[in-house]
Amino acid sequence: MNGTAELIIDGKSLELPTIVGTEGEVGIDIGKLRSTTGAITIDPAYGNTGSCKSAITFIDGEKGILQYRGYNIAELAQKSTFIETAYLLIYGELPTASELSEFSELLTENQMLHQDMLQHFDAFPPKAHPMSILSAMIHASSAYPSQKTYRKSLKEAFPIHAARLISQTRTIATSSYRKAAGLPPSYPRRNLKFTENFLHMMFSLPGEDYELNADVVRALDLIFLLHADHEQNCSTSTVRMVASSQANVFASASAGVCALWGPLHGGANQAVLEMLEEINKDGDDGTKFLDQVKNKVGNRRLMGFGHRVYKSFDPRAVIIKEQCDKVLAQLHKSDPLLDIAKKLEEIALHDDYFISRKLYPNVDFYSGIIMRAIGIPTNMFTVLFAIGRMPGWVANYKEVMDDTESRISRPRQIYTGSTLRSYKSMAERV
Ligand code: CMC
């Protein structure tokens, strides 16, 4: 039931309505705070601020719960696929058989890039990071409207735009990898499913098809599914922020890719691998490195540990760790980096520095080891995160567009700069 909260400013009391979500979280509605009192709230990094109401994903970070549209992530991981989950996130319900086949058909129809877009790849230097290519190419996509959406409004064109984004992100990702590796372009095959096609487009060589392994396909599909949404994280909030100006979905998603790239967010999977490689190169088993982290030497962090929201465990990390052991066993691979990762985890989980700060392994701690075992180069890890996250961004974009009360996002600030002063001539500036 909705109630009220009382705020007292300079002795004056203000009654604020509260909003209670379907899972019982309480928000204090301060929508009228500034107009009635002149004050604003300040919450840098938004740790206590709800930026929207959303019906897509629920997280209880204290209990380690993650649900997409009411379905527990562990159940989806066991029973669903990335594409079915993408539909669920975007359209709100698990698809019927015909809805799923229609959705898959739309993805297939929209998986090819406009031929003219291929020339953009040539303009990037050979060592360009694939995340910079991905954001630029997704943005460029909006300049190539398909015939079917040409005269449609953003809303009418949404299903096609959504399908293009999900499908073409994969095509752009694999194309950028092949360009960097000096391989000829490869094209998706109609008879392959989404994740199979990703592996085929990455690794097939002229005259030599990549041999699909069901366990590898399943592991990668699971990685995509586990990354598919995560409520108001940095990149999704960015997508919603851009969408609030009524920018198109390509521009909004491209902004999401940029936000994801940073090592504190999606870039952490690449940073984890680089950290493990560095520890291995140093001949350390992780002990020396952890001492440096705890003593904040060079502000080092144990990458793949900690989360703004999860304060007991990250349910995605539990699923992915199990999958990591499975994939390595099935591929008959041992990896010294996995041994280091396990050692780091074991020490950190029993160390007061990490326990007192509630730092636990997050999804990125083990996903990189699986991707490495499959043969994905390290600089592509965050790109795979972006492929996985695209349905979540698209779902959040749709939610903003469908919200008849949505207004442009425009936070305020507390100004701390100089007060009014007069312009100084050059001679006066000493
Ligand atoms: N290693 C060592 N210390 C850490 C770590 C870490 N990974 N994360 C946080 N801390 C310490 C931090 O130094 C601070 O200590 P103190 O109180 O002594 O100053 C305390 O814990 C609180 O840290 P914070 O920076 O205020 O926490 P935050 O909620 O702002 O940051 C985080 C969350 C995920 C950015 C952070 O935990 C981190 O940098 N982790 C490593 C990067 C990483 O793995 N990111 C992926 C997140 S999961 C994928 C995704 O969804 O994006």
Side-chain angles (χ1 to χ4, degrees):
M1 211 176 79
N2 294 354
T4 53
E6 187 185 10
L7 180 69
I8 300 174
I9 308 178
D10 292 337
K12 271 195 225 146
S13 160
L14 180 70
E15 202 170 83
L16 299 166
T18 57
I19 297 173
V20 184
T22 48
E23 290 281 356
E25 340 88 282
V26 179
I28 300 171
D29 180 353
I30 54 152
K32 299 226 168 8
L33 181 63
R34 190 172 177 281
S35 59
T36 50
T37 68
I40 60 167
T41 55
I42 183 137
D43 183 23
Y46 311 130
N48 305 282
T49 297
S51 58
C52 60
K53 286 186 260 175
S54 176
I56 303 170
T57 289
F58 170 70
I59 299 178
D60 181 333
E62 270 67 39
K63 296 193 185 131
I65 293 172
L66 169 61
Q67 290 166 193
Y68 294 162
R69 300 281 189 187
Y71 294 97
N72 187 282
I73 193 68
E75 193 179 9
L76 288 171
Q78 201 192 351
K79 301 180 183 163
S80 187
T81 62
F82 172 59
I83 290 305
E84 185 184 69
T85 298
Y87 184 97
L88 168 71
L89 285 166
I90 299 169
Y91 297 107
E93 295 295 338
L94 284 168
T96 61
S98 68
E99 284 166 341
L100 185 59
S101 85
E102 218 175 280
F103 184 55
S104 302
E105 190 49 40
L106 206 54
L107 292 171
T108 306
E109 258 177 40
N110 286 284
Q111 63 190 351
M112 303 292 282
L113 301 177
H114 190 290
Q115 191 64 18
D116 293 352
M117 270 184 80
L118 299 181
Q119 65 197 349
H120 293 277
F121 286 105
D122 294 332
F124 286 96
K127 291 214 161 101
H129 195 287
M131 282 298 274
S132 70
I133 301 179
L134 186 65
S135 73
M137 293 296 277
I138 288 177
H139 203 179
S141 260
S142 63
Y144 292 90
S146 68
Q147 292 295 334
K148 286 192 176 162
T149 59
Y150 198 58
R151 290 195 185 281
K152 290 189 173 170
S153 70
L154 283 185
K155 212 163 180 167
E156 287 170 326
F158 176 79
I160 295 175
H161 285 168
R164 270 183 74 189
L165 265 167
I166 294 171
S167 241
Q168 293 187 5
T169 298
R170 182 194 58 186
T171 311
I172 294 167
T174 52
S175 305
S176 68
Y177 162 72
R178 293 184 75 94
K179 177 88 179 50
L183 294 168
S186 67
Y187 295 94
R189 294 222 173 117
R190 287 190 73 89
N191 63 328
L192 295 180
K193 291 197 172 0
F194 185 91
T195 302
E196 294 172 339
N197 240 332
F198 171 82
L199 288 161
H200 153 70
M201 286 156 77
M202 279 289 283
F203 299 124
S204 284
L205 297 171
E208 190 188 327
D209 277 356
Y210 174 77
E211 209 175 301
L212 290 165
N213 168 323
D215 296 317
V216 167
V217 173
R218 178 71 193 130
L220 200 53
D221 200 73
L222 192 62
I223 288 181
F224 292 148
L225 183 155
L226 292 175
H227 285 86
D229 195 43
H230 214 227
E231 54 120 296
Q232 301 316 312
N233 55 83
C234 177
S235 56
T236 303
S237 301
T238 302
V239 169
R240 287 187 84 115
M241 171 76 94
V242 178
S244 79
S245 76
Q246 298 191 358
N248 67 56
V249 67
F250 298 93
S252 307
S254 152
V257 172
C258 296
L260 185 74
W261 190 1
L264 299 190
H265 189 12
N269 52 16
Q270 175 172 344
V272 168
L273 238 284
E274 286 165 356
M275 171 189 79
L276 296 174
E277 275 165 351
E278 191 191 318
I279 294 172
N280 192 33
K281 211 164 106 205
D282 277 2
D284 177 19
D285 66 350
T287 323
K288 196 174 98 195
F289 178 82
L290 282 180
D291 280 340
Q292 292 174 344
V293 169
K294 289 194 292 177
N295 294 315
K296 302 196 189 285
V297 177
N299 270 333
R300 298 202 110 166
R301 288 197 164 193
L302 176 54
M303 301 311 284
F305 255 67
H307 200 276
R308 171 62 61 78
V309 179
Y310 292 122
K311 297 300 170 197
S312 57
F313 67 96
D314 177 342
R316 304 167 301 172
V318 177
I319 299 167
I320 229 158
K321 182 182 179 187
E322 204 184 297
Q323 195 65 27
C324 184
D325 287 332
K326 245 190 228 167
V327 168
L328 291 190
Q330 272 149 1
L331 294 178
H332 305 291
K333 283 202 176 176
S334 65
D335 188 340
L337 300 195
L338 179 65
D339 298 337
I340 295 173
K342 285 189 166 160
K343 177 90 182 174
L344 289 171
E345 185 188 17
E346 188 193 306
I347 304 175
L349 290 179
H350 295 95
D351 189 295
D352 189 54
Y353 174 95
F354 296 92
I355 296 171
S356 63
R357 289 170 178 78
K358 300 189 173 163
L359 302 170
Y360 299 93
N362 60 50
V363 67
D364 291 322
F365 197 64
Y366 283 107
S367 62
I369 306 220
I370 301 185
M371 291 194 262
R372 179 175 138 103
I374 296 173
I376 311 283
T378 314
N379 69 354
M380 286 289 290
F381 288 2
T382 314
V383 172
L384 269 73
F385 191 149
I387 296 175
R389 184 55 54 87
M390 192 52 74
W393 290 334
V394 167
N396 275 273
Y397 178 89
K398 182 173 187 299
E399 204 168 60
V400 174
M401 287 297 158
D402 289 347
D403 179 0
T404 49
E405 288 170 12
S406 169
R407 299 166 72 204
I408 188 165
S409 296
R410 202 324 187 163
R412 290 195 175 252
Q413 62 167 16
I414 297 290
Y415 176 69
T416 58
S418 183
T419 51
L420 184 65
R421 47 187 173 161
S422 298
Y423 182 82
K424 280 184 185 164
S425 69
M426 194 61 82
E428 289 171 306
R429 297 177 215 166
V430 274

